Amino acid sequence: MAEGPNPIEVYQAALAQLRPILAKGSATPDSSTPCVEWNVQSLVNHAIAVQNFAFTVLGPGTPDPASMGNVDHPLPSEGAEAALISITDQVLATLKEMDFEAVVETPFGAMPGGQFIMVPITDMIVHTWDIAKATGQNTTLDAGLAELGYNVLVNVAEGGRANGASGPEVTVPTSASFQDRMLGLSGRQP
């Protein structure tokens, strides 16, 4: 991978941002979210499922992209935050042992693992905002994470819209913050 952000540090930062928002937000599971087809419960289940998917791609098993959309079930019995910590601990352990240049097979094609993990990280960043917005929490994201999310989405947003993973792009001024530009690319009104 070309010189860029350290995937472990970025993953840990995105998780640190998501964790308290998810913990507080999961107390109001029926709240509607900017993801119009999902309530908070569905969005929390999706956030956990994406990290399970990431672990499967980077580690053992065969990834099933459909699992990320299977969100219409109760929150995990151990609690949303505990479930998130459990799977993200596994992802982090895998990241700490891997060569980021090593190519992994993904449903989106073969790519270096260090490149692939940026997509699940961006998912965490965007959905942190969604859950915060839905539950009346502070929606200001870490500026560095928002910039990273924007830079990832520039490369994958069109494919995401084509497969229904996000809505149409919301136009924002080019002078807008990286957070607002990232949200617009992901089909959200900042």
Side-chain angles (χ1 to χ4, degrees), residues 8-139:
I8 295 168
E9 292 172 0
V10 175
Y11 190 91
Q12 290 171 321
L15 177 60
Q17 182 174 250
L18 171 61
R19 208 172 138 190
I21 299 291
L22 180 137
K24 186 174 179 184
S26 62
T28 56
D30 295 327
S31 297
S32 60
T33 72
C35 298
V36 294
E37 70 279 4
W38 289 345
N39 61 16
V40 168
Q41 176 177 310
S42 299
L43 197 51
V44 167
N45 284 332
H46 169 75
I48 294 165
V50 167
Q51 299 314 309
N52 273 302
F53 174 77
F55 176 66
T56 305
V57 167
L58 297 174
T62 304
D64 176 12
S67 66
M68 294 182 290
N70 179 13
V71 297
D72 296 326
H73 52 81
L75 291 173
S77 59
E78 69 269 36
E81 186 178 17
L84 180 71
I85 292 167
S86 176
I87 188 55
T88 56
D89 282 352
Q90 293 175 67
V91 173
L92 277 167
T94 301
L95 289 173
K96 289 175 181 178
E97 296 298 320
M98 72 179 289
D99 170 4
F100 297 124
E101 296 288 334
V103 173
V104 295
E105 293 299 323
T106 81
F108 325 112
M111 65 183 71
Q115 178 184 347
F116 163 75
I117 195 61
M118 294 301 167
V119 176
I121 288 170
T122 298
D123 189 81
M124 273 198 277
I125 297 165
V126 171
H127 292 316
T128 296
W129 183 87
D130 288 333
I131 296 169
K133 180 88 170 164
T135 58
Q137 298 181 65
N138 183 346
T139 58

